[in-house]
């Protein structure tokens, strides 16, 4: 175990100190210490504290207070810890309020939020400059990024495999107005200096993208060490092989923190908190000139968005994708609302009468 770690190196600052003081007022008088989740391994977490790295798990009381997967600790979270066995491991009693949350809907039909990472300052949206390159898919990642509260930055990796990198950069810049776009090559060590402003001391960045886009290679390249396993690009479809299987946080030599995440075969958006309008910013700007304030940009007269698409000022495919994504988010929001109503109704029907005193199960969960 590493001793005397400076948690400031992991992003601890005055803002977190204030949140810590507020959180302690909610808890009892026991002795607690702050720590940051550095790895999520299911039932256990790897946590970093001023005393070193150790394994942590949720207290029974805290676990029973959680109503959904989105409330569980995630990589990047600052948590409240009680040390056990002389600091050999820790028990997690709470999570400090997050300043950013990168999340998506879990795979399948379950209406649950899956947190990819939290308390991230910059989100690197990674796409390889080979057959993985897909502007329409990047629009979905941008919505997730804008909704998270983190600042999106697009990384176009494997520039050494691309003969028209500048054209693809221009295409991506057009689809992501105002978002920095960088083409990099770990193999040729090209572009690292452009990323230094995002990975300095106290900064936390996360990488997300489709499976095999080169995220683990980026982690190894930026850290200068082989922290993550990588595999070669497959022949035939130019796609890399999925290598990262869990979320993990690493310290970079520049002083920043980087979070690698498993690749996504499919990105199902969780909810929209203004991310759609930010990802399609030019459509939002054009909409201000529509005749009707509630214009849907489908068939209304006096629609400035449709006029721009007809004249070629706005890419028709981009408008189609805007409508498609908007419908998906509306459908997702309606399903979430129905699920919440069902959960609330079931809780009301099944709530037992309040017992006097504490059950023996409750007593055990408090320890």
């Amino acid at each position: 175990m590493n001793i005397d770690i400076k948690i400031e190196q992991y992003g601890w600052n005055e803002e977190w100190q204030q949140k810590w003081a507020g959180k302690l007022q909610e808890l009892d008088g026991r002795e607690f210490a702050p720590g940051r989740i550095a790895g999520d391994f299911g039932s256990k977490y790897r946590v970093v504290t001023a005393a070193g790295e150790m394994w942590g798990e949720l207290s029974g009381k805290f676990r029973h207070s959680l109503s959904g997967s989105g409330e569980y600790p995630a990589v990047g979270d600052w948590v409240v810890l009680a040390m056990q066995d002389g600091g050999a491991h820790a028990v997690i009693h709470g999570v400090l309020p997050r300043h950013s949350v990168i999340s998506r809907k879990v795979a399948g039909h379950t209406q649950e939020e899956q947190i990819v990472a939290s308390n991230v300052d910059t989100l690197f949206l990674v796409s390889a400059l080979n057959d993985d390159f897909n502007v329409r898919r990047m629009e979905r990642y941008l919505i997730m990024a804008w909704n998270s509260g983190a600042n999106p930055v697009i990384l176009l990796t494997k520039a050494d495999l691309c003969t028209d990198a500048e054209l693809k950069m221009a295409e991506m810049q057009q689809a992501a107005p105002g978002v920095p776009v960088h083409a990099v090559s770990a193999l040729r060590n090209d572009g690292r200096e452009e990323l230094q402003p995002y990975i300095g001391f106290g900064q936390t960045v996360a990488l997300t993208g489709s499976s095999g886009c080169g995220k683990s290679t980026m982690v190894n390249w930026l850290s200068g060490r082989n922290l993550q396993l990588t595999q070669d690009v497959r022949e035939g479809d130019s796609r890399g092989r999925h290598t990262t299987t869990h979320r993990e946080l690493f310290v970079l030599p520049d002083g920043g923190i980087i979070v690698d995440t498993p690749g996504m075969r499919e990105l199902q958006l969780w909810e929209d908190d203004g991310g759609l309008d930010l990802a399609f910013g030019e459509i939002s700007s054009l909409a201000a000139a529509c005749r009707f304030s509630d214009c849907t940009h489908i068939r209304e007269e006096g629609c400035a968005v449709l006029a721009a698409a007809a004249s070629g000022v706005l890419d028709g495919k981009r408008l189609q994708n805007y409508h498609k994504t908007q419908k998906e988010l509306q459908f997702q929001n309606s399903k979430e609302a129905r699920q919440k109503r069902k959960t609330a109704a079931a809780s009301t029907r099944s709530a037992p009468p309040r017992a006097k005193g504490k059950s023996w199960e409750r007593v055990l969960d408090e320890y």
Side-chain angles (χ1 to χ4, degrees), residues 169-189:
M169 275 191 68
E171 185 179 356
M172 193 65 78
Q173 288 168 339
Q174 184 177 8
V179 177
V181 180
H182 303 282
V184 298
S185 170
L187 182 65
R188 297 194 306 223
N189 197 31

Side-chain angles (χ1 to χ4, degrees), residues 50-347:
E53 292 186 7
M54 62 193 69
W55 289 105
E57 54 188 329
L58 305 184
S59 71
K61 181 178 180 180
F62 179 44
R63 181 183 290 107
H64 288 165
S65 72
L66 304 175
S67 59
S69 58
E71 296 183 7
Y72 278 74
V75 170
D77 271 330
W78 286 100
V79 293
V80 180
L81 303 171
M83 302 301 179
Q84 302 289 322
D85 300 329
H89 67 277
V91 177
I92 301 171
H93 288 267
V95 176
L96 299 191
R98 298 157 171 157
H99 75 70
S100 67
V101 181
I102 301 164
S103 64
R104 64 169 182 168
K105 178 187 170 297
V106 298
H109 300 291
T110 305
Q111 291 302 117
E112 291 253 4
E113 178 185 19
Q114 180 185 49
I115 300 205
V116 177
S118 65
N119 301 321
V120 170
D121 300 301
T122 302
L123 180 59
F124 285 157
L125 307 175
V126 185
S127 177
L129 281 167
N130 51 18
D131 290 347
D132 178 68
F133 184 81
N134 188 313
V135 173
R136 302 283 83 85
R137 184 173 62 221
M138 183 57 70
E139 290 171 348
R140 298 175 64 81
Y141 280 98
L142 280 167
I143 293 171
M144 180 181 72
W146 286 123
N147 284 334
S148 73
N151 295 315
V153 172
I154 296 174
L155 294 190
L156 301 179
T157 63
K158 305 180 183 180
D160 51 284
L161 301 178
C162 181
T163 58
D164 59 347
E166 291 186 2
L167 289 176
K168 288 185 175 179
M169 275 191 68
E171 185 179 356
M172 193 65 78
Q173 288 168 339
Q174 184 177 8
V179 177
V181 180
H182 303 282
V184 298
S185 170
L187 182 65
R188 297 194 306 223
N189 197 31
D190 290 341
R192 193 184 190 284
E193 65 283 354
E194 298 177 19
L195 307 184
Q196 286 180 335
Y198 311 114
I199 57 178
F201 184 85
Q203 296 290 308
T204 298
V205 300
L207 293 149
T208 190
S210 59
S211 297
C213 64
K215 298 187 305 300
S216 295
T217 299
M218 287 294 100
V219 171
N220 292 340
W221 180 48
L222 293 174
S223 67
R225 296 180 292 161
N226 289 325
L227 296 173
Q228 297 287 67
L229 294 174
T230 60
Q231 299 188 50
D232 293 334
V233 172
R234 289 196 304 248
E235 295 182 4
D237 61 3
S238 298
R239 291 186 63 82
R241 297 176 176 86
H242 174 73
T243 50
T244 302
T245 57
H246 56 266
R247 299 163 187 81
E248 200 160 2
L249 178 153
F250 303 100
V251 178
L252 296 174
D254 301 80
I257 301 292
I258 195 166
V259 180
D260 192 13
T261 66
M264 299 182 186
R265 299 294 184 191
E266 177 185 10
L267 172 58
Q268 297 189 51
L269 298 171
W270 171 242
E271 60 182 14
D272 183 36
D273 190 22
L276 179 69
D277 287 339
L278 288 169
F280 293 88
E282 77 279 35
I283 294 179
S284 301
S285 297
L286 288 167
C290 290
R291 180 181 301 174
F292 305 106
S293 60
D294 59 349
C295 184
T296 62
H297 322 309
I298 296 177
R299 59 177 63 89
E300 293 91 343
E301 292 185 5
C303 176
V305 175
L306 290 176
S311 65
V313 173
L314 175 65
D315 184 357
K317 290 184 178 179
R318 186 155 165 82
L319 179 57
Q320 290 175 7
N321 205 44
Y322 169 83
H323 285 309
K324 178 181 177 181
T325 308
Q326 184 183 52
K327 288 180 180 179
E328 177 188 342
L329 286 166
Q330 290 172 345
F331 181 63
Q332 172 64 23
N333 289 339
S334 68
K335 288 197 297 183
E336 290 174 29
R338 287 197 301 270
Q339 183 64 37
K340 288 178 181 178
R341 288 195 297 268
K342 288 180 180 179
T343 302
S347 176

Side-chain angles (χ1 to χ4, degrees), residues 37-46 55 75 245-248:
I37 302 292
D40 182 353
F41 298 88
S43 62
K44 289 192 175 183
Y45 301 87
R46 186 166 62 86
W55 289 105
V75 170
T245 57
H246 56 266
R247 299 163 187 81
E248 200 160 2

